Amino acid sequence: MGKTRQAGRTYRSVAVAVACGAALAVLTAVPAQARDTAHWAPHWQLKDSGAADVRFRGLSAVSRNTAWVAGTAGTVLRTTDGGANWRNVSPPGAADLQFRDIEAFDARRAVVLAIGEGEASRVYRTDDAGATWTESFRNTDASAFYDCMTFFDSRHGLAMSDPVDGKFRILSTGDGGRSWKVLSNAGMPAALDGEAGFAASGQCLVSSGPRDVWLATGGGARARVLHSADRGLTWTAADTPIPVGDPARGVFALAFRDRTHGLAVGGDYNAGQPSPLAAAVTGDGGRTWRPATTPPPAYRSGVAWLPHSRATALAVGPTGTDLTTDAGRTWTTVDTGSYDTVDCAADLGCWAAGEKGRVARLEN
């Protein structure tokens, strides 16, 4: 998509905030031992990141106390006290890079992806809480543009690039991001004309379990989700009902709570443009997708299941946050705000991050 693609990746965004009353519905599926639902009234509370000039599209929630964010100007921040304090742990010499995805395994180990054409696409890893970083991958193919990455566990992960020679390119690691190799594209379906991924929130490539991974696309004649059950060696493609027909439209984000139940959100990221049918749902691992009965009212570029919930999730975009309590069939706008990504940890530590250094945590 050339310059259009690059500009699009620069400006795609999200919003996340949850009203106390609406978010209470989240607990209907949380085990009693996890929370006393009668006394839990969560809401998003802003945390001062101290980086008002940075836009954070990369986010990894480790727990309620620990989270990593990554964004513009090669910035990476880390907190271990619930957002009360943030430490700038940015890789040295990365000020010209745009970080769009970060995957953290704990408070000390993380892998961050910089996006862009050619050598702008890079991967860094830290094992000492960001005190030092190792550049483990630098793209040397001028036609490649890496968008997102995902990890199945602390060792095995993938990153994806927009089509090269007519097919999406997949990068693989088996040592936690310390080294990477390009996988053969023999098992990858041909890309559609103009088809690409969206580096909007680190959620265009997601995984569930030890082997299943899904890739979201847009910009072509159809918005598709590609699925692999063997860690990226072979893929199948399925159409979604999310409208496309323009480089700015398609599926922007995916979330799977297990290997069969998934959500897709997207639309048209251009401000003020209508985005009908901006959400879809699957119950068969992405083989088929059906539109939400009541979708979000506008473009959404991020989505996350609430931990331990079989039916509750949040979809986020620049004009607001939507809540579903029926596994994606219907969505209700619960608040407005400006966040670009959202992520939740198993201990109900949910975080959001976005423009102007905004970071928030779900509070009781």
Side-chain angles (χ1 to χ4, degrees):
M1 295 165 68
K3 293 181 179 179
T4 300
R5 178 185 68 185
Q6 190 169 10
R9 300 222 176 104
T10 303
Y11 295 109
R12 297 163 193 167
S13 58
V14 206
V16 173
V18 181
C20 296
L24 237 134
V26 161
L27 278 304
T28 58
V30 177
Q33 64 269 29
R35 287 284 178 181
D36 178 357
T37 62
H39 298 94
W40 198 48
H43 61 281
W44 288 106
Q45 181 173 322
L46 283 169
K47 307 292 182 176
D48 184 6
S49 70
D53 56 342
V54 177
R55 187 164 198 161
F56 294 116
R57 295 182 187 270
L59 166 66
S60 188
V62 176
S63 68
R64 282 187 54 77
N65 289 327
T66 300
W68 300 67
V69 291
T72 54
T75 305
V76 178
L77 304 185
R78 166 183 166 273
T79 184
T80 56
D81 58 9
N85 296 281
W86 293 87
R87 181 182 176 189
N88 188 329
V89 295
S90 305
D96 293 333
L97 300 179
Q98 304 290 316
F99 289 136
R100 297 292 182 91
D101 200 353
I102 187 166
E103 304 290 334
F105 309 116
D106 50 38
R108 297 185 61 79
R109 300 176 298 160
V111 181
V112 64
L113 171 72
I115 62 97
E117 295 175 342
E119 293 192 3
S121 285
R122 305 180 195 180
V123 178
Y124 295 82
R125 177 186 165 106
T126 182
D127 289 295
D128 55 12
T132 62
W133 293 86
T134 300
E135 182 184 309
S136 58
F137 173 76
R138 182 180 296 206
N139 174 48
T140 57
D141 190 332
S143 60
F145 187 120
Y146 286 85
D147 299 289
C148 298
M149 63 181 175
T150 188
F151 277 82
F152 304 96
D153 52 45
S154 62
R155 293 184 59 81
H156 301 92
L158 301 176
M160 58 80 68
S161 164
D162 287 337
V164 177
D165 297 327
K167 293 184 176 181
F168 284 95
R169 174 169 288 181
I170 302 299
L171 201 63
S172 174
T173 180
D175 56 12
R178 295 180 179 88
S179 64
W180 298 82
K181 65 178 181 180
V182 175
L183 295 182
S184 168
N185 67 2
M188 176 67 71
L192 304 176
D193 184 31
E195 190 175 28
F198 293 99
S201 59
Q203 296 177 319
C204 62
L205 186 73
V206 301
S207 57
S208 181
R211 304 188 71 81
D212 287 274
V213 58
W214 295 264
L215 188 162
T217 82
R222 304 186 303 277
R224 303 195 296 175
V225 172
L226 281 61
H227 171 239
S228 172
D230 55 12
R231 290 184 181 167
L233 297 178
T234 60
W235 298 78
T236 57
D239 293 345
T240 75
I242 293 178
V244 279
D246 184 275
R249 299 174 187 166
V251 180
F252 279 70
L254 299 168
F256 277 78
R257 65 173 172 82
D258 53 39
R259 67 188 308 267
T260 57
H261 299 89
L263 303 169
V265 299
D268 188 328
Y269 75 81
N270 287 314
Q273 294 301 307
S275 291
L277 302 176
V281 60
T282 182
D284 57 12
R287 288 190 295 273
T288 61
W289 293 84
R290 58 188 183 278
T293 304
T294 305
Y299 155 72
R300 298 292 181 254
S301 65
V303 63
W305 292 93
L306 200 87
H308 314 297
S309 174
R310 297 176 60 84
T312 304
L314 296 170
V316 300
T319 62
T321 297
D322 303 294
L323 174 74
T324 179
T325 57
D326 55 12
R329 289 186 294 275
T330 62
W331 295 85
T332 302
T333 301
V334 294
D335 210 337
T336 60
S338 183
Y339 297 98
D340 285 322
T341 187
V342 60
D343 192 31
C344 294
D347 68 348
L348 297 180
C350 291
W351 296 80
E355 66 177 342
K356 299 179 181 179
R358 289 166 59 89
V359 184
R361 189 184 71 174
L362 199 64
E363 300 290 354
N364 182 1

